[in-house]
Amino acid sequence: MKVSKKIVLLGHFGVGKSSLIRRFVENTFSEDYKVTIGVHIFKKNVTIPEKGADVSLVIWDLEGNDDINNTRLSYLLGTHAFIYVYDVTRPATYENLQTEINFLKEKQKNTPITVVGNKEDLVTKAYLKQNNDNFGSLTDLYVSAKTGDKVDLIFSNLAEALIK
Ligand code: GDP
Ligand code: MG
């Protein structure tokens, strides 16, 4: 079975959307900050041997938006799954998490949303635990594009969920 799925990454400027994609697709990381303008589209295949499935992920890297209401709705059409990224070191990027998620749920109904807190390498486990008490019910994974920790897991979990 071979299927193609559209994945869209969303979140504020500088939270690490492009870095997570680069880590997943090319297994590289850079400290240089290059702003994404418009949209970049990447492709990577994920094989799930137990299911005999070959999932082609078409990953959309949207330019950052500190107000989700400014997201171009045409980019969201046909999305099979969202990855909402925030930066664990910058509260401004997760303060409105619930509102932003509600926005996506309203615009693109029945589309799964994976919420990831990125840059976990910059904080302690204790800090994450405390953060988790406030936002944990919404956060699926804490990851790091820099170390690569759990980045593959975001996409492999998604791929598996999407072929069910
Ligand atoms: P985007 O605007 O959401 O696409 O964010 P970028 O991927 O361009 O990353 C913004 C900045 O954060 C860059 O300087 C990256 O090097 C840095 N960055 C991204 N992910 C991580 C991470 O997991 N850990 C650390 N320490 N820095 C990161
Ligand atoms: Mg970017």
Side-chain angles (χ1 to χ4, degrees), residues 51-144:
K51 299 261 166 65
D54 205 353
V55 188
S56 168
L57 298 180
V58 181
I59 307 168
W60 290 48
D61 185 13
L62 301 196
E63 67 190 352
N65 231 321
D66 290 355
D67 182 354
I68 201 161
N69 293 297
N70 295 334
T71 306
R72 248 192 244 182
L73 296 180
S74 58
Y75 289 157
L76 307 183
L77 287 177
T79 301
H80 295 100
F82 291 110
I83 299 173
Y84 187 90
V85 185
Y86 69 85
D87 177 342
V88 295
T89 70
R90 280 193 295 140
T93 69
Y94 55 74
E95 264 160 14
N96 297 318
L97 205 50
Q98 187 67 67
T99 318
E100 314 231 319
I101 288 167
N102 290 347
F103 173 91
L104 291 176
K105 284 191 169 150
E106 183 197 315
K107 297 297 175 206
Q108 188 69 21
K109 294 203 172 57
N110 303 320
T111 306
I113 306 170
T114 303
V115 177
V116 303
N118 186 38
K119 310 197 189 181
E120 58 146 35
D121 58 287
L122 295 176
V123 298
T124 62
K125 288 255 161 15
Y127 176 92
L128 279 185
K129 191 180 175 303
Q130 197 183 357
N131 184 58
N132 206 36
D133 291 341
N134 299 325
F135 305 101
S137 58
L138 294 173
T139 303
D140 295 294
L141 287 169
Y142 293 105
V143 302
S144 168

Side-chain angles (χ1 to χ4, degrees), residues 12-20 22 29-36 61 64 118-122 143-147:
H12 291 207
F13 285 106
V15 295
K17 298 179 293 299
S18 301
S19 300
L20 287 169
R22 203 174 311 139
F29 176 78
S30 159
E31 301 278 355
D32 294 342
Y33 184 55
K34 282 206 199 75
V35 176
T36 308
D61 185 13
N118 186 38
K119 310 197 189 181
E120 58 146 35
D121 58 287
L122 295 176
V143 302
S144 168
K146 185 169 181 174
T147 66

